[in-house]
Amino acid sequence: MTRFKKSLTIFLSMIILILVSGNIQAQEDDTSELDPMIVTATRGEKKDIEIPASTQVFTSEDIKNMGAKTLLDVISTVPDFSISRSPSGNGLPGFRGITGYLTILVNGIPLANDGYFQLGSFATSGIERVELVKGGSAVLYGSDATTGVVNIITKKDGPSTISVGAGNNGKRQGSAFLSAKGLSLAYEHFQEQQRGLIYTSRTNYYGDDLKRDNLTLNYELNKHFNFMFLHSQRETTSSKYSASTGLSAGAPWENETVYDIGQASYKNENLKIMVYGQNREWTYTNPTGKQRGRIYGADIQDMWVFEKFSLTAGGNFDHELSKRINNDAWVKNTRNKGALFFLTETDLFASTKFLAGAREVLSNASDNVFCPQFQILQALGDSSNLYLNINRSLREPTLSQRYGYSATQEPNEDLESEIGWTYEMGWKTLFTRFDSLKLALFHMDIDNRIYSGKTSEGKTIYLNANKFKNTGIELAFRHDTATGLIGGAGLYYGKPEQKTVSSDDWEDTEFRFGMQLNLGYRFSKGMVNLMVHHASDRVDDTDPLWDVSLNAAYDITDKDSIRLNVNNLLDRDDAINAGGSSILEERGFLLTYEHTF
């Protein structure tokens, strides 16, 4: 509790500082969008203040100001973000004290992942904004959305820009965004060498080389048709040394991850149709292997609006394929799955809305699951609300968990989906044009958690047994003006616990306290911003995480600017994850020049 009290004292002090400074400032400049339009929460545009869920939006300007180069950089600043990550960068992200229970969307369509994400593969140069909706979202987005969804909205228009950058450890960056007559193209290349220790266990991994290329293409044929293609390629090389002896542990581990995503969409008033295809390939050597995941599918929805009632309904169908190399032969598994969903919104009273919805998941590889959701939104004037959100979520077994991926795994075709319930109530308010505050209380309860065990022959097998629960609180404050003091603060405190197959007792997991501070100053020619991310009270006596970064920008002319990003300002070797294996990258800087034309 001592660490918690110290962290809370720092957090409250920063809140007071921001509030006092904001009152002293008292200016009439236009603000950044503190109540943005969000499409992820209800599959239709709504202002943040009108959404009965915990939400957060990162605009392209927010992403620039934090110096984020990848999607992982963006969402890892959220106070309750957690991730279980390997040296390759593959990871299982999540919120609210549990990893691997988060759905990543690209323009509203879930990524093909088969249980793995490469969040560090997706550059920010082609991203218009990132929308984050916490809590169960299975009604609208299906499996894995137990702790929420992160929606990457790709950039379709805007001013054309080019940028180049360089920094220590061989950092090199180049990007361009070109837009004209409905066609936009975003490209970014990034590379870095000698990143230091990145992962520790019985073997220590050092980042020798990292290269990343991203290309995003959008073409708007007319107001009805839009086409998008995204290519992402990430290569890493890591030296391996024994943690006990310091001697070489063999040849470096080399990884390459490639995403190719294509989407074609049609929109006519409230009718939206999207067809899509995705491919993910992961190739690695020392050890050697290859995985491939593919999804082809279609998603359709429509909305009908009446005087005091609206109905959004639709469905989707996916054909999913997962392949792995085993003894020089491909092991292939497939499944077809679909869903039907609806969401209604009714005006109970002048200031009270009731939302009800459900999703029926249809799969040929697991049991069908029914997921309902109920929400109440009580407006407290034009700039404040209270809400209640209750929903059921699911997490289907991956194809590799059900059918196996090598001769060392025993398939379990009876493996069932994990089922969870989330109960959340919250308050959102815009105090002034400059200040917003969000508060959420939640409880999560998950049954049938999937875990890996051993058969009598020593093979790995996935079974249902574990349970998980968490009760917690979230607080987020933001102060933003066109010029002057800017800042924000986020707080998470929870009690994540799980039951394992080896014990009937509840055991702590992940971490209990998380904090994010953002303090800066914006002036007519630029800005300077300090960001702090902290996590403490972690399992296995893992030391607290203090990740501090500094970002600054200066406009040389109205078309030319420079930016400086310094990561891990304190040069700490803290663990990113609660288990203590993934390590903060050592302190580094990147200086970037950007030209707009």
Side-chain angles (χ1 to χ4, degrees), residues 241-294:
Y241 295 89
S242 169
S244 59
T245 66
L247 299 176
S248 174
W253 193 22
E254 300 177 1
N255 288 264
E256 181 185 49
T257 303
V258 178
Y259 279 97
D260 287 297
I261 301 172
Q263 298 175 346
S265 61
Y266 170 81
K267 182 178 179 180
N268 188 357
E269 296 182 347
N270 294 323
L271 175 65
K272 300 176 184 178
I273 302 173
M274 183 177 288
V275 293
Y276 48 87
Q278 304 176 21
N279 182 74
R280 182 187 73 91
E281 292 195 7
W282 179 29
T283 305
Y284 49 95
T285 58
N286 304 316
T288 299
K290 188 170 185 177
Q291 297 181 13
R292 179 177 296 160
R294 289 178 179 172

Side-chain angles (χ1 to χ4, degrees), residues 362-402:
L362 311 168
S363 174
N364 70 335
S366 59
D367 295 333
N368 298 343
V369 179
F370 180 73
C371 296
Q373 176 172 285
F374 307 96
Q375 298 169 295
I376 296 177
L377 182 72
Q378 177 63 49
L380 305 175
D382 295 332
S383 58
S384 184
N385 72 37
L386 295 171
Y387 68 84
L388 176 67
N389 187 353
I390 301 173
N391 57 72
R392 191 188 197 205
S393 59
L394 80 149
R395 182 171 179 252
E396 295 179 86
T398 65
L399 287 172
S400 58
Q401 288 172 337
R402 287 184 59 89

Side-chain angles (χ1 to χ4, degrees), residues 549-574:
S549 63
L550 175 68
N551 306 286
Y554 181 75
D555 296 330
I556 305 171
T557 69
D558 59 348
K559 294 184 179 298
D560 301 277
S561 63
I562 56 174
R563 291 181 178 271
L564 173 67
N565 166 240
V566 182
N567 64 286
N568 194 5
L569 187 65
L570 304 180
D571 202 20
R572 296 173 63 94
D573 58 357
D574 297 342

Side-chain angles (χ1 to χ4, degrees), residues 206-275:
Y206 292 82
D208 295 338
D209 188 50
L210 182 152
K211 294 180 182 179
R212 184 178 63 242
D213 288 278
N214 288 263
L215 173 70
T216 306
L217 176 68
N218 271 284
Y219 178 58
E220 190 173 52
L221 180 63
N222 51 46
K223 66 178 182 179
H224 298 299
F225 291 95
N226 188 84
F227 303 91
M228 190 279 295
F229 172 75
L230 185 153
H231 172 80
S232 171
Q233 183 171 342
R234 184 176 187 267
E235 301 176 37
T236 63
T237 302
S238 303
S239 295
K240 303 182 297 182
Y241 295 89
S242 169
S244 59
T245 66
L247 299 176
S248 174
W253 193 22
E254 300 177 1
N255 288 264
E256 181 185 49
T257 303
V258 178
Y259 279 97
D260 287 297
I261 301 172
Q263 298 175 346
S265 61
Y266 170 81
K267 182 178 179 180
N268 188 357
E269 296 182 347
N270 294 323
L271 175 65
K272 300 176 184 178
I273 302 173
M274 183 177 288
V275 293

Side-chain angles (χ1 to χ4, degrees), residues 317-320 334-338 361-368 396 399 402-403 413:
F317 172 81
D318 289 330
H319 174 73
E320 184 179 359
T334 63
R335 68 179 165 192
N336 296 318
K337 59 180 181 179
V361 178
L362 311 168
S363 174
N364 70 335
S366 59
D367 295 333
N368 298 343
E396 295 179 86
L399 287 172
R402 287 184 59 89
Y403 301 114
E413 297 187 16

Side-chain angles (χ1 to χ4, degrees), residues 35 49-50 378-386 427-433 435-437:
D35 190 23
I49 201 72
E50 299 173 348
Q378 177 63 49
L380 305 175
D382 295 332
S383 58
S384 184
N385 72 37
L386 295 171
W427 172 49
K428 298 181 182 181
T429 188
L430 300 174
F431 288 118
T432 68
R433 294 170 56 199
D435 306 291
S436 67
L437 181 67

